Amino acid sequence: MAFKDNPAEFRIIDIALIEPGPDHVRQHFDEASLKGLANSIGRKGLIHPLVVQPADGAGRHALVVGERRRRAALLAGETAVPVLVRACSPEEVLEVQVFENLGLGVRAALDPRDMANAIQTIAERFESKDAAAEHFGRTATWLAQATAAANLSPQVSALLESGKISSTSTAIQLEKLAQKNEAKAETLIGQIAQLPEGEKLPKQVVEKVLVEEGLRRGKKPDTPPQAAPDMVPSPAAAQAASPSPATAEVPPWEEAPVAPAAPAMPAAPATERRRVNPGKVKMVAEILGLEAEDEEAVLARLIDEFLALKGA
């Protein structure tokens, strides 16, 4: 029988009786991510059961799916975990492991606003922000970042809903601009609202204004600096003229985690910089159901899917 035709039996078993198998497809693990998942398991238990083979003569179960969850459960000190006992032929084990993580995987990341609203609702149960952050195993700064999308103004929310703002992180940046310079923010919001249907504001435009207002530290330009535009530039022009975004100011499911700063290296000439293969971008876009021309949307969606698979 094929895997999908085999019945599954739900059980709670001793985690010591589960054998991961040396040929499991997942061989590399991010320790920080495992600790985050272990914190979640320690507080709420293992939400998604592991999938294991029926017990052998010694009463041990070979793991089919869930090696990352198994390791995090061990790290959390769990002694028994929920499993689905489901027979799987040796020839099909690898395919099941791959298909579980292929495309959208088991879960799709929540919309950042939905996640922010949910986290804010939970945080309101605690007497302080520090206590709420401790409940999530994170810092108060993380909590502020994670709930920022739950406090967007109606005007910014409308632009995000209409697709004229490229991402939730851009909307959050626009709100920060409004707190610093309300007049400039209103001007920019008005310009965004006038964009033609189907055209969106590149996030680099807002980042450039934030740098000008001292809310962000910009990178040293590779080309002579340009004067601030009087109106919203085209997406192509904004992409070419603006600094790369920093990701520390947005929740982890919206952007990739910020890596530790590396030693300064001499800047490579522009002609030597690597570009993403357009063919690969098109292939990923087709898998995600997006337009290949919008590389920013492809990257944002790809990050969401990766973080969802990581359990972030």
Side-chain angles (χ1 to χ4, degrees):
M1 293 176 65
F3 176 77
K4 71 175 184 177
D5 298 321
N6 278 322
E9 175 191 1
F10 178 79
R11 293 177 57 192
I12 303 292
I13 66 174
D14 186 340
I15 195 170
L17 296 177
I18 301 174
E19 297 283 354
D23 298 325
H24 194 282
V25 66
R26 191 185 292 277
Q27 295 290 323
H28 301 91
F29 301 85
D30 179 78
E31 292 300 322
S33 177
L34 274 180
K35 289 179 181 178
L37 181 55
N39 175 73
S40 171
I41 292 173
R43 293 182 180 277
K44 296 300 177 184
L46 194 60
I47 297 173
H48 299 287
L50 310 177
V51 179
V52 300
Q53 297 273 28
D56 59 17
R60 306 188 73 80
H61 299 263
L63 182 72
V64 178
V65 165
E67 172 60 358
R68 181 170 171 273
R69 280 166 279 163
R70 186 192 71 85
R71 292 192 180 208
L74 285 170
L75 195 60
E78 298 292 305
T79 57
V81 292
V83 302
L84 292 176
V85 181
R86 194 170 182 182
C88 184
S89 69
E91 295 78 15
E92 203 173 9
V93 168
L94 181 60
E95 289 192 27
V96 171
Q97 292 170 353
V98 169
F99 272 83
E100 191 216 18
N101 292 285
L102 190 65
L104 295 179
V106 177
R107 327 170 15 235
L110 283 173
D111 178 272
R113 287 167 293 172
D114 295 338
M115 180 69 89
N117 286 325
I119 291 177
Q120 182 162 279
T121 299
I122 295 172
E124 289 171 353
R125 302 172 187 169
F126 296 85
E127 59 183 16
S128 70
K129 292 182 178 178
D130 287 337
E134 184 178 352
H135 178 73
F136 290 104
R138 304 296 181 88
T139 65
T141 300
W142 175 89
L143 183 64
Q145 297 164 358
T147 56
N151 301 291
L152 300 177
S153 66
Q155 297 94 328
V156 174
S157 293
L159 294 176
L160 191 59
E161 291 290 348
S162 68
K164 292 184 177 180
I165 294 180
S166 58
S167 68
T168 306
S169 62
T170 302
I172 293 172
Q173 292 170 358
L174 200 52
E175 292 289 2
K176 289 182 179 179
L177 175 61
Q179 295 171 11
K180 173 76 173 183
N181 189 328
E182 186 176 358
K184 181 170 287 189
E186 288 183 355
T187 299
L188 186 54
I189 289 173
Q191 293 171 356
I192 298 170
Q194 296 301 316
L195 288 173
E197 180 106 14
E199 186 174 334
K200 65 178 64 175
L201 174 78
K203 67 171 68 175
Q204 290 85 354
V205 174
V206 178
E207 289 161 3
K208 183 172 171 50
V209 178
L210 289 175
V211 170
E212 293 169 354
E213 290 297 315
L215 294 172
R216 273 202 144 175
R217 185 175 60 186
K219 289 187 175 182
K220 292 182 179 179
D222 296 323
T223 57
Q226 300 179 5
D230 293 328
M231 62 177 60
V232 176
S234 68
Q239 182 74 25
S242 304
S244 300
T247 56
E249 301 174 355
V250 293
W253 53 86
E254 175 66 12
E255 301 284 0
V258 178
M265 297 291 290
T271 55
E272 296 180 7
R273 290 181 181 173
R274 297 179 60 186
R275 295 182 58 84
V276 178
N277 187 311
K280 292 182 179 179
V281 174
K282 183 177 180 181
M283 184 182 302
V284 173
E286 290 176 352
I287 294 174
L288 298 176
L290 300 173
E291 294 293 335
E293 291 77 12
D294 192 348
E295 292 188 9
E296 183 179 340
V298 173
L299 176 60
R301 178 67 175 276
L302 196 58
I303 290 172
D304 285 345
E305 302 300 342
F306 174 78
L307 292 174
L309 293 176
K310 283 289 187 179

